[in-house]
C-alpha cells in the first residue's frame, strides 16, 4: 500500500472472480460485471491519488470450479488485489441463494479489517447483494460508500412479466421482493449512485421510492485499449480462423459477431431468427455466436440449457448449419481476436439485447475497429450517439434488426468512416483513463463531505482495565423476557457466569434507558455487567470505566435529526409517542396500533422524502423505535467486537423480540428463548441461531450448553 492516497474497497459478491483468465460467460453470474470490476480496480490503482484498491469477494471451495477461487488473496498488479473471505456454503452457488449469508461476510470482514494497516476511506459496492454488505460496513465504521447497481430488480421483473413470466414462478427463481427491498435500502443510504447512462438513471433507478436523483452521477465505463486493438494486418489469426471457419461453408463472407451470455435478456435467439428469416442477409454474411463456454449443455444452468437447446432447434429449423458458427468454448485471450476477425472480414458487431444497462461489448468492438448494429435497449443508444460508429434499430419492430444489418453492410465508405469514428470515440470518451478521472472527482468530493478518520481512530482506541482485553468469549443478553423473568434459572445462570472469571465478559442489550436498566438489574439481584447496551443500541456504557463510549455516541449521531423526524411522523396513523421517560436523545419510541399503521416501507419512504435517515425497529407488534441509521443492538455488538478485537464467533447473544433480530444474525452464536415474539420465528433453520425449548434464563443456559459442545469457546462446564 502506498503511503499517501486513498484506500478504496470494492465489493462484488457473486460470480467467480479471478484476475487471470476470468471465466466470462461461464454462468449468468460471471459476466460483464466481473470484467468491469476487475478493469476498474486495475485502472484506479494506477492513479497517483490512490494508495490501494482491494476487491472483496467470496472464497469458494468447490471441486466443480478451479482452485483459484479458494485462494484468500490474489494480486491484480501494484497496489491492487482480490480479497476472498469464506461465507455461506463452501460450494459455488448462484447469487439468488446468497442473501441469507451476507451478514457473515460483513462480520468476517470486520475481523479481517483489524489486521489492516488502515481502514478503507471509501467503499464501492456492485449489485444489490454487495450493496447490503457495504451498507452494513459503512454504518459500523463510518466509511462512506458509493454503489453501482449493474442490474435492477424492478426493471428485470417488469421485463420478465411482460415476456409472459408468472410472478409466483419468477419470485421463487429470483427472490425479487427481497432483492428490491435491499435495493431500496442501499439507495437510501449510498453517498453516490454511479450509473453508466442518463437513461439508466431515469428509466431504471427512477422506479425506486428511495432513489434521490441528486446523488446519481453518470460515469460511462471504460474499455481496455491495450487489450482491444484494431487488427495489425488483413490476415486473421490462423488458429482462431480455423476454430470459426470449420462451421462455415463460405468463410470469406462478411462476419456478423455477437458475444453474449446464453440468457433470455441477451436475445441471442432473436438474432438467429432474424438472420434465418432473411434470405438476402444469409446470402451476404455469416454469423458468429460466442455465447459463453460449456463442455456439456446438460450440465448448464436452466436458462443456459434452455437457450442452447432452442438455439440448436432454430438453427435446424432455418437450415443455418454452414452459415452460423457457434464454438462451445473459448479462452479469454481469444475474445479480442474474435472482434479482429470480424473486422478483417469487414463485418459488424451485432447487439440484439432486449435490456442492456450499458453494453461493454460495443466498446470492445469500437476499440477493435468493428462497426456496430444494436437495438435501442438503453446504454447502447448512448454509445452509438457518442461514437457515431453504427446504427441503432428498434428492437421491438419485426424485421428491423435484419434490415439494419443489411443497410450497414451495403456502404463500404460509410463502414470505413464508422471504423475511424469508433476508434476516436473510445479514445476520447470511453477509455479507462477518462473513466478514472471522472470517478476520482466524485470520490474525493464524497470524502471531503464525509471523512471521519479521527472518529474511527477514537473508536479503535483501547482502554486499560477492560475485561474485553482478556476474555475468551462474550455473553450478551437482552434484558426483559430473556435474562430476567425466572428467578431460579437466573440465579443458576449468574452462578455459572461468576465461575468463568476473566474468561467470559458479560453484558446486556436492552431497549431501556441506562437508569431504567440499572434499576431492573438491581431489583432482580443481578450484579452490574461489564457492558450495558441501552436504548436499542443507542448507548454503550462500561462498568470498568464508569462511563459511556463517547466514540460510539459520536458515530451514531451522524445524520440524526431527532426533532425533524418527530415532525415527519407526527400525522402517521397508528403511531403515538410513548411517555417521555421512554424517549432518548437518539431514540424515538412509539406505541403502535398495527391495524392502522402503514407498512414500514411506506414509513421509510416518508422519512426519505423529508430528507431524513433513520433505522426503524418494530417489535412485539406494538412498539416502533426510530433510531439513528447507524444504531441497533446488532451494530453495537459488532462495534464492541471490532473495537476490542474479539472475533464475532466468540459472542453468545440471546434475545426474544424483533429488536434483537440483527444481533442474532451473522457470525455470532444466537440463542432465541422459547418465550420469543412471533417476528423471530422466521430465523428458524439458520445454522448459528439456536431456538431453546425453555424460556428466559433457562433458555439462555440451554443455548450455552448447545454451543459449548459444538464450539471450543474455552468456557468451564455447561451451566
Amino acid at each position: 500500500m502506498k503511503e499517501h492516497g486513498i484506500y478504496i474497497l470494492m465489493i462484488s459478491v457473486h460470480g467467480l472472480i479471478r484476475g487471470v483468465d476470468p471465466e466470462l460467460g461461464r454462468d449468468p453470474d460471471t459476466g460483464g460485471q466481473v470484467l468491469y470490476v476487475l478493469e476498474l480496480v486495475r485502472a484506479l490503482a494506477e492513479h497517483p491519488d490512490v494508495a490501494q484498491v482491494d476487491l472483496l469477494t467470496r472464497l469458494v471451495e468447490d471441486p466443480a470450479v478451479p482452485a483459484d477461487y479458494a485462494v484468500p488473496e490474489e494480486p491484480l498488479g501494484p497496489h491492487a488485489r482480490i480479497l476472498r473471505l469464506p461465507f455461506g456454503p463452501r460450494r459455488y452457488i448462484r447469487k439468488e441463494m446468497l442473501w441469507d449469508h451476507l451478514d457473515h461476510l460483513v462480520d468476517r470482514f470486520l475481523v479481517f479489517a483489524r489486521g489492516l494497516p488502515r481502514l478503507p476511506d471509501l467503499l464501492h459496492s456492485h449489485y444489490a447483494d454487495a450493496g447490503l454488505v457495504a451498507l452494513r460496513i459503512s454504518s459500523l465504521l463510518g466509511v462512506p460508500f458509493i454503489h453501482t447497481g449493474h442490474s435492477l430488480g424492478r426493471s428485470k421483473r417488469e421485463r420478465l412479466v411482460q415476456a409472459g413470466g408468472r410472478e409466483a414462478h419468477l419470485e421463487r427463481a429470483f427472490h425479487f421482493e427481497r432483492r428490491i427491498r435491499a435495493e431500496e435500502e442501499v439507495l437510501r443510504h449510498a453517498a453516490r449512485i454511479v450509473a453508466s447512462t442518463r437513461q439508466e438513471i431515469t428509466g431504471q433507478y427512477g422506479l425506486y421510492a428511495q432513489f434521490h436523483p441528486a446523488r446519481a452521477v453518470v460515469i460511462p465505463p471504460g474499455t481496455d485499449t491495450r487489450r482491444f486493438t484494431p487488427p495489425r494486418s488483413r490476415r486473421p489469426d490462423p488458429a482462431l480462423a480455423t476454430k470459426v471457419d470449420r462451421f462455415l461453408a463460405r468463410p470469406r463472407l462478411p462476419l456478423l459477431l455477437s458475444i453474449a451470455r446464453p440468457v433470455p435478456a441477451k436475445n441471442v435467439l432473436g438474432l438467429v431468427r432474424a438472420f434465418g428469416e432473411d434470405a438476402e442477409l444469409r446470402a451476404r454474411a455469416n454469423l458468429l455466436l460466442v455465447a459463453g463456454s460449456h463442455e456439456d449443455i446438460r450440465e448448464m444452468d436452466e436458462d443456459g440449457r434452455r437457450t442452447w437447446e432452442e438455439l440448436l432447434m432454430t438453427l435446424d429449423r432455418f437450415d443455418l448449419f454452414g452459415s452460423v458458427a457457434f464454438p462451445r468454448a473459448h479462452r479469454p485471450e481469444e475474445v479480442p481476436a474474435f472482434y479482429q476477425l470480424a473486422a478483417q472480414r469487414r463485418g459488424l458487431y451485432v447487439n440484439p439485447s432486449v435490456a442492456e444497462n450499458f453494453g461493454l461489448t460495443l466498446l470492445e468492438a469500437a476499440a477493435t475497429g468493428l462497426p456496430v448494429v444494436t437495438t435501442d435497449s438503453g446504454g447502447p443508444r448512448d454509445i452509438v450517439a457518442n461514437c457515431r460508429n453504427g446504427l441503432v434499430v428498434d428492437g421491438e419492430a419485426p424485421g428491423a434488426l435484419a434490415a439494419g444489418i443489411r443497410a450497414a453492410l451495403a456502404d463500404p465508405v460509410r463502414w470505413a468512416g464508422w471504423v475511424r469514428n469508433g476508434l476516436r470515440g473510445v479514445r476520447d470518451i470511453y477509455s479507462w483513463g477518462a473513466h478514472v478521472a471522472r470517478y476520482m472527482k466524485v470520490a474525493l468530493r464524497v470524502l471531503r463531505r464525509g471523512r471521519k478518520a479521527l472518529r474511527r481512530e477514537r473508536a479503535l482506541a483501547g482502554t486499560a482495565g477492560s475485561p474485553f482485553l482478556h476474555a475468551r468469549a462474550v455473553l450478551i443478553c437482552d434484558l426483559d423476557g430473556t435474562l430476567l423473568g425466572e428467578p431460579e434459572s437466573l440465579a443458576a445462570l449468574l452462578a455459572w457466569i461468576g465461575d468463568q472469571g476473566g474468561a467470559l465478559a458479560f453484558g446486556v442489550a436492552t431497549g431501556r434507558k441506562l437508569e431504567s436498566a440499572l434499576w431492573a438489574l438491581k431489583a432482580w439481584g443481578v450484579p452490574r455487567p461489564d457492558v450495558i447496551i441501552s436504548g436499542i443500541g443507542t448507548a454503550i456504557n462500561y462498568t470498568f470505566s464508569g462511563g459511556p463510549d463517547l466514540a460510539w455516541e459520536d458515530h451514531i449521531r451522524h445524520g440524526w435529526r431527532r426533532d425533524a423526524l418527530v415532525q415527519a411522523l407526527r400525522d402517521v396513523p397508528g403511531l403515538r409517542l410513548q411517555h417521555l421517560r421512554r424517549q432518548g436523545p437518539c431514540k424515538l419510541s412509539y406505541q403502535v396500533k398495527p391495524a392502522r399503521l402503514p407498512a414500514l416501507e411506506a414509513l421509510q419512504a416518508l422519512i426519505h422524502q423529508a430528507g431524513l435517515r433513520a433505522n426503524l425497529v418494530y417489535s412485539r407488534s406494538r412498539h416502533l423505535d426510530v433510531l439513528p441509521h447507524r444504531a441497533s443492538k446488532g451494530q453495537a455488538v459488532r462495534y464492541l467486537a471490532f473495537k476490542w478485537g474479539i472475533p464475532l464467533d466468540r459472542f453468545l447473544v440471546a434475545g426474544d423480540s424483533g429488536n434483537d433480530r440483527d444481533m442474532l444474525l451473522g457470525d455470532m452464536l444466537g440463542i432465541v428463548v422459547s418465550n420469543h415474539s412471533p417476528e423471530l420465528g422466521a430465523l428458524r433453520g439458520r445454522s448459528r441461531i439456536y431456538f431453546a425449548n425453555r424460556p428466559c434464563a433457562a433458555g439462555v443456559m440451554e443455548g450455552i450448553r448447545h454451543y459449548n459442545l459444538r464450539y471450543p469457546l474455552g468456557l468451564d462446564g455447561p451451566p
Side-chain angles (χ1 to χ4, degrees):
M1 185 180 296
K2 288 187 285 189
E3 184 177 352
H4 302 290
I6 64 173
Y7 172 20
I8 302 171
L9 179 69
M10 295 279 168
I11 307 173
S12 186
V13 172
H14 63 256
L16 293 168
I17 303 178
R18 67 184 183 190
V20 178
D21 295 339
E23 299 182 276
L24 304 178
R26 176 190 175 109
D27 58 62
D29 293 348
T30 309
Q33 176 180 324
V34 169
L35 178 63
Y36 168 82
V37 173
L38 285 170
E39 293 190 349
L40 176 58
V41 167
R42 289 188 172 111
L44 280 171
E46 295 178 0
H47 194 279
D49 292 332
V50 173
Q52 178 75 21
V53 187
D54 287 341
L55 170 55
L56 177 64
T57 191
R58 181 169 176 253
L59 187 146
V60 177
E61 296 179 282
D62 188 339
V65 303
D68 302 0
Y69 305 112
V71 177
E73 185 174 321
E74 178 187 348
L76 292 176
H79 316 298
R81 60 182 175 170
I82 297 174
L83 300 175
R84 299 187 182 92
L85 296 180
F87 71 97
R90 289 187 173 186
R91 70 184 187 281
Y92 181 54
I93 57 176
R94 62 191 181 94
K95 60 180 178 290
E96 288 81 11
M97 307 307 294
L98 285 174
W99 291 107
D100 283 344
H101 308 293
L102 297 177
D103 286 299
H104 295 282
L105 177 57
V106 174
D107 291 350
R108 287 170 196 184
F109 177 75
L110 294 177
V111 174
F112 178 85
R114 287 282 307 187
L116 291 172
R118 58 186 276 199
L119 292 177
D121 297 290
L122 182 69
L123 312 176
H124 185 171
S125 55
H126 299 269
Y127 196 82
D129 47 15
L132 270 188
V133 174
L135 171 58
R136 304 289 187 257
I137 296 173
S138 169
S139 178
L140 186 65
L141 301 183
V143 179
F145 80 100
I146 61 179
H147 180 69
T148 300
H150 292 279
S151 168
L152 295 177
R154 287 194 190 279
S155 51
K156 180 174 181 177
R157 181 172 65 181
E158 181 180 299
R159 184 175 69 250
L160 292 176
V161 169
Q162 289 176 350
R166 294 174 307 187
E167 290 202 34
H169 172 74
L170 295 174
E171 182 59 33
R172 286 193 299 273
F174 296 106
H175 303 274
F176 278 123
E177 286 299 327
R178 191 165 190 177
R179 174 179 171 182
I180 290 167
R181 283 198 305 271
E183 288 167 338
E184 291 280 15
E185 189 175 0
V186 169
L187 293 174
R188 184 165 67 249
H189 293 290
R192 290 290 184 276
I193 302 298
V194 177
S196 300
T197 66
R198 182 59 52 183
Q199 184 276 338
E200 186 181 351
I201 291 175
T202 57
Q204 297 186 51
Y205 285 109
L207 299 174
Y208 287 78
Q210 304 296 333
F211 175 61
H212 199 301
R215 293 188 199 156
V217 292
V218 175
I219 310 179
T223 192
D224 187 350
T225 52
R226 291 171 292 192
R227 183 174 177 229
F228 295 96
T229 60
R232 295 181 179 179
S233 72
R234 293 184 179 181
R235 298 185 62 184
D237 175 77
L240 189 86
T242 299
K243 186 175 206 170
V244 173
D245 292 349
R246 66 189 181 91
F247 292 93
L248 304 176
R250 296 178 295 165
R252 299 295 181 184
L253 291 176
L255 187 61
L256 310 176
L257 170 65
S258 187
I259 301 178
R261 289 179 290 111
V263 294
K266 299 301 181 182
N267 197 31
V268 176
L269 284 170
L271 171 59
V272 174
R273 280 194 292 267
F275 183 77
E277 290 170 350
D278 194 304
E280 181 183 348
L281 184 56
R282 293 200 309 273
R284 293 176 56 185
N286 291 317
L287 177 61
L288 168 58
L289 302 175
V290 181
S293 291
H294 65 272
E295 293 298 325
D296 189 332
I297 291 176
R298 293 170 297 183
E299 296 176 357
M300 298 181 73
D301 64 272
E302 184 179 352
D303 278 344
R305 183 174 63 253
R306 186 185 304 118
T307 299
W308 268 102
E309 288 171 351
E310 292 182 14
L311 173 63
L312 293 173
M313 288 189 289
T314 305
L315 291 172
D316 181 70
R317 172 187 167 195
F318 291 105
D319 194 18
L320 296 178
F321 299 103
S323 296
V324 178
F326 46 98
R328 70 177 185 176
H330 64 276
R331 301 188 308 276
E333 62 268 21
E334 291 178 320
V335 173
F338 284 128
Y339 290 107
Q340 291 177 343
L341 179 63
Q344 288 163 328
R345 293 185 176 169
R346 301 185 70 81
L348 300 166
Y349 183 78
V350 183
N351 170 49
S353 178
V354 296
E356 192 71 68
N357 276 352
F358 186 67
L360 282 174
T361 54
L362 276 75
L363 292 186
E364 294 167 355
T368 315
L370 180 63
V372 303
V373 173
T374 178
T375 55
D376 55 348
S377 56
R381 277 201 308 265
D382 288 12
I383 293 175
V384 175
N386 289 329
C387 291
R388 297 181 294 114
N389 66 326
L391 297 178
V392 177
V393 301
D394 184 349
E396 297 183 0
L401 185 59
I405 294 170
R406 288 200 315 272
L409 292 173
D411 188 340
V413 175
R414 184 170 63 169
W415 187 94
W418 282 339
V419 171
R420 293 190 296 271
N421 292 345
L423 294 171
R424 187 184 308 116
V426 166
R427 183 191 64 219
D428 295 345
I429 303 172
Y430 294 110
S431 69
W432 276 114
H435 179 94
V436 167
R438 296 187 187 102
Y439 184 104
M440 288 301 294
K441 287 181 180 179
V442 172
L444 293 174
R445 193 175 302 123
V446 167
L447 291 175
R448 280 195 295 270
R449 296 186 62 186
R451 189 177 294 276
K452 299 291 183 291
L454 177 61
R455 181 176 300 163
R456 295 199 298 274
E457 289 170 5
R458 289 179 62 192
L460 290 174
T463 304
S466 166
F468 296 100
L469 295 177
H470 307 291
R472 292 196 292 268
V474 181
L475 173 63
I476 303 288
C477 288
D478 169 60
L479 199 56
D480 299 287
T482 303
L483 182 66
L484 309 181
E486 286 190 350
E488 290 184 6
S489 59
L490 173 61
L493 176 60
L494 292 176
W496 177 82
I497 292 171
D499 290 342
Q500 305 310 306
L504 179 72
F506 172 53
V508 298
T510 177
R512 291 175 181 254
K513 297 166 75 170
L514 176 64
E515 297 78 9
S516 176
L518 290 171
W519 177 88
L521 289 168
K522 184 177 180 180
W524 282 81
V526 180
R528 182 161 176 162
D530 298 311
V531 63
I532 298 176
I533 298 169
S534 56
I536 317 182
T538 58
I540 299 173
N541 279 266
Y542 302 110
T543 297
F544 70 89
S545 67
D549 191 315
L550 297 176
W552 176 250
E553 291 185 6
D554 286 347
H555 175 75
I556 66 170
R557 286 181 184 274
H558 175 75
W560 174 245
R561 295 168 57 193
R562 187 183 188 281
D563 293 343
L565 283 161
V566 172
Q567 290 301 313
L569 298 174
R570 182 180 55 187
D571 298 324
V572 173
L575 280 186
R576 178 174 58 83
L577 276 169
Q578 295 183 32
H579 192 276
L580 185 62
R581 67 175 179 270
R582 296 190 179 275
Q583 309 300 330
C586 289
K587 180 169 80 83
L588 288 169
S589 293
Y590 289 88
Q591 202 73 29
V592 169
K593 291 184 178 179
R596 299 185 61 203
L597 183 70
L600 291 185
E601 291 82 359
L603 292 182
Q604 281 288 11
L606 178 66
I607 291 170
H608 177 74
Q609 289 164 8
L612 304 170
R613 302 167 81 180
N615 180 20
L616 303 182
V617 180
Y618 186 51
S619 57
R620 296 197 174 277
S621 300
R622 61 178 183 269
H623 297 143
L624 178 71
D625 292 287
V626 182
L627 313 177
H629 74 276
R630 290 177 171 176
S632 70
K633 287 185 180 181
Q635 289 295 82
V637 173
R638 287 175 172 86
Y639 169 86
L640 291 176
F642 189 65
K643 176 169 183 169
W644 301 108
I646 303 173
L648 278 158
D649 61 6
R650 313 296 294 177
F651 276 75
L652 291 146
V653 293
D656 72 325
S657 73
N659 67 27
D660 301 312
R661 187 180 189 278
D662 77 326
M663 183 173 71
L664 296 163
L665 297 171
D667 272 5
M668 291 173 280
L669 304 176
I671 302 167
V672 179
V673 293
S674 67
N675 54 306
H676 65 84
S677 58
E679 59 259 26
L680 293 185
L683 300 180
R684 285 189 183 274
R686 302 282 186 114
S687 62
R688 287 178 176 263
I689 299 179
Y690 177 75
F691 276 76
N693 296 307
R694 301 184 66 186
C696 303
V700 176
M701 290 192 292
E702 182 186 330
I704 293 171
R705 282 193 293 272
H706 168 79
Y707 286 122
N708 220 11
L709 293 172
R710 296 186 61 188
Y711 299 96
L713 295 173
L715 302 176
D716 294 334

